Amino acid sequence: MGPTNELGLPSISRKSYTIAGIAVTVFGLDELTFDAAEIACLWLLHPRLATQESMFGVADTILNDWNKSKRPSLEDVKLVTMGLIAVTFDQRNHGTREIDPLVNKSWKQGNPRHAQDLFSIFQGTARDVSLLIDCIPAYIFPTPEKTVTEHIVLGVSLGGHAAWSCLFHEPRITCGVVIIGCPDYVNLMADRARLSKLPSWVNGDPPGSQFLGSEDFPLPLLEAVRKYDPAGLLLSQIDIHSIDHHQPLRENPLPDPPEIDKQILLPLMKRCLSGKRILILSGGVDKLVPYHRGEPLLTWLKKAIAPNGWFADGRIHLEDIIFEKAGHEMTSAMIEEASRFVGDYLSEDPASTSSLVREAKI
């Protein structure tokens, strides 16, 4: 038996590269079989205040699971020919890229620009993923025997927010796992402002009415959120009379869009989400990124993409699993679900993908 990691799993090979000025670690190159001409790349995005090393165990687990599943099968040629690698790197202002430690802190920890800093860091990470997708094949496969044909993203917390952006804005990302992340930045940060008792929140009448557009959440940030955040992007297309865009906290179910708005949303949804597979893993007692802050948007989205929904032909497969006793953490059970989801995605026939919404509480 070969060397094992701290989890007792066989250690997956690691190779280090400097790509576009970013220190990148690639897992699994040595384990690729000769007949694996097509390669899937799993991008692993770490939490806030962590580094790429925190995702090494995830890489080992998922790649070990996939490599064990690859057995010659007359029924499923894809299992034989598809190889899987994983990539980690430090998010902006983290690890080897840290410039100012305060930028990674929250309002309560003394950072007055928490909303701007958090958003810009994980959006920067999403753009780094796109840049690295462009560049990495020339480093790891400089000869044509192997080609990267699939891209999957898995992000945790800060990395989960970035994963949502990758799913919406990078067409080459066709599958994603979001662990304790949120698709509604305004709702998340408004709740955090309320709990932090920011003056821009408590001094409004009613409380919170002055938060958006204040120094704590400036209008240029709100404009960026409406371009890149899933909730900001989708809900900004809805008629202003059917949804209160000035109320920062979304507590209630969102209304179905009227037909005129659907005609605007349909091409946007098609461009961002058609044919994609998404797994959402959340902690039921998570206080830092509470599930209920993303729930209004997720409920609205699940209704739209369901088999009888108004965007059923988008062929989106979405699984939403809540681990009821988990907090703001990535548990071993979450990693198991993520590994199962990635394996299922790589094993399926893309032509057979149809709309599916699965919800579960564990």
Side-chain angles (χ1 to χ4, degrees):
M1 184 176 178
T4 60
N5 64 13
E6 63 276 7
L7 300 176
L9 296 168
S11 293
I12 296 293
S13 63
R14 304 172 187 173
K15 295 186 185 300
S16 299
Y17 300 85
T18 300
I19 305 175
I22 302 171
V24 173
T25 305
V26 183
F27 296 78
L29 290 174
D30 290 348
E31 288 78 8
L32 293 174
T33 58
F34 176 78
D35 61 352
E38 297 185 355
I39 309 300
C41 184
L42 173 63
W43 299 88
L44 299 174
L45 311 179
H46 65 75
R48 182 166 64 102
L49 304 178
T51 65
Q52 63 168 309
E53 282 80 5
S54 68
M55 304 302 289
F56 284 9
V58 180
D60 282 346
T61 298
I62 296 179
L63 266 62
N64 270 302
D65 287 349
W66 174 251
N67 291 336
K68 284 189 298 183
S69 75
K70 290 193 309 176
R71 293 182 175 86
S73 168
L74 294 176
E75 293 79 24
D76 197 344
V77 177
K78 188 174 183 182
L79 281 177
V80 182
T81 60
M82 177 65 74
L84 178 64
I85 61 173
V87 177
T88 63
F89 61 92
D90 290 329
Q91 293 207 51
R92 298 189 182 198
N93 204 53
H94 285 74
T96 56
R97 306 173 76 186
E98 186 178 76
I99 297 173
D100 182 355
L102 182 62
V103 168
N104 296 333
K105 302 296 180 63
S106 66
W107 285 309
K108 283 186 175 181
Q109 294 168 318
N111 180 11
R113 290 184 292 273
H114 175 45
Q116 299 96 309
D117 288 338
L118 181 64
F119 188 78
S120 59
I121 285 173
F122 73 75
Q123 289 297 337
T125 295
R127 297 184 195 188
D128 286 341
V129 170
S130 292
L131 175 62
L132 290 171
I133 287 175
D134 288 333
C135 297
I136 200 168
Y139 288 80
I140 60 176
F141 302 128
T143 56
E145 287 81 10
K146 298 186 186 299
T147 306
V148 180
T149 58
E150 304 271 2
H151 292 279
I152 305 164
V153 65
L154 182 154
V156 183
S157 191
L158 176 71
H161 308 330
W164 272 117
S165 189
C166 290
L167 282 162
F168 266 70
H169 299 289
E170 175 48 74
R172 293 169 293 184
I173 297 280
T174 50
C175 176
V177 180
V178 179
I179 302 178
I180 53 177
C182 184
D184 190 340
Y185 192 68
V186 166
N187 216 20
L188 176 66
M189 299 309 288
D191 191 47
R192 199 167 289 181
R194 177 183 65 84
L195 294 172
S196 300
K197 297 182 172 59
L198 295 183
S200 61
W201 185 273
V202 298
N203 293 338
D205 185 18
S209 58
Q210 302 302 312
F211 173 65
L212 298 181
S214 71
E215 289 189 8
D216 296 317
F217 207 103
L219 283 176
L221 174 60
L222 185 59
E223 292 170 4
V225 168
R226 288 173 176 168
K227 286 176 63 177
Y228 298 110
D229 177 67
L233 178 65
L234 295 176
L235 300 183
S236 64
Q237 311 300 318
I238 295 178
D239 179 25
I240 198 166
H241 298 295
S242 65
I243 183 170
D244 186 357
H245 292 280
H246 301 288
Q247 171 52 254
L249 274 181
R250 286 185 261 273
E251 305 280 5
N252 301 315
L254 297 168
D256 286 338
E259 289 302 319
I260 190 171
D261 289 343
K262 288 178 184 177
Q263 299 311 307
I264 299 173
L265 284 165
L266 282 169
L268 181 62
M269 299 268 281
K270 183 178 181 180
R271 173 170 60 85
C272 292
L273 294 173
S274 277
K276 298 196 176 185
R277 291 181 67 111
I278 304 170
L279 172 63
I280 303 162
L281 303 175
S282 307
V285 291
D286 186 344
K287 294 182 179 180
L288 186 62
V289 183
Y291 175 81
H292 65 270
R293 287 303 159 209
E295 188 173 16
L297 187 276
L298 290 176
T299 301
W300 181 90
L301 180 61
K302 285 184 281 190
K303 188 174 181 181
I305 68 176
N308 59 346
W310 54 268
F311 192 54
D313 60 358
R315 300 180 298 104
I316 301 165
H317 178 126
L318 188 148
E319 298 188 30
D320 187 9
I321 303 176
I322 301 173
F323 294 80
E324 294 189 283
K325 295 182 179 180
H328 192 70
E329 57 187 324
M330 175 176 57
T331 66
S332 58
M334 290 178 179
I335 299 174
E336 289 176 11
E337 283 291 339
S339 185
R340 183 268 310 169
F341 189 80
V342 170
D344 288 350
Y345 167 73
L346 292 176
S347 302
E348 74 176 4
D349 179 1
S352 67
T353 302
S354 58
S355 293
L356 184 146
V357 175
R358 176 194 171 213
E359 298 175 303
K361 291 185 177 181
I362 300 176

